[in-house]
Amino acid sequence: MVRTALLRLVAWLLAAAVTFVTLGPEDVRPHPVLGQQGDHALAFLLVGILFSLAYPQRRWTVSAVAVALIGLLEIMQLWVPGRHARFADFVVDALSACAGFALSAAAGRPIAQVGEDPAPLTRERP
């Protein structure tokens, strides 16, 4: 319970940070470390992973909402001076978030199986 609440808090804080960096003033934007597309990909990959871990029972819903909000975030840049909305940025961001959801789901299966009881090696006779 505490773990889920902490994951949700961190996921939403990261989403808020990405939103602020995307729509905030130019002087608060970090300089690209991995290039513009690389920084976008890393940020939204982490968003996808964290939201997938925070809402494991709703991965499909959360991933669809994430893609819609990424599109909205890109469109909102039309009203920010010095920013521009690009379809290529949307594609990178959305695909990266979806990759984060997929990686988290794929990693979650083996981890969940570790906690399961192993199948009995022998069969009991009646």
Side-chain angles (χ1 to χ4, degrees), residues 12 44 62-76 90:
W12 284 105
F44 285 98
V62 175
S63 62
V65 170
V67 170
L69 291 176
I70 289 166
L72 180 63
L73 190 60
E74 198 64 35
I75 291 170
M76 289 172 66
F90 166 74

Side-chain angles (χ1 to χ4, degrees), residues 6-20 50-51:
L6 184 60
L7 279 170
R8 289 180 179 177
L9 175 66
V10 171
W12 284 105
L13 287 173
L14 179 60
V18 167
T19 301
F20 181 72
L50 284 172
F51 273 94

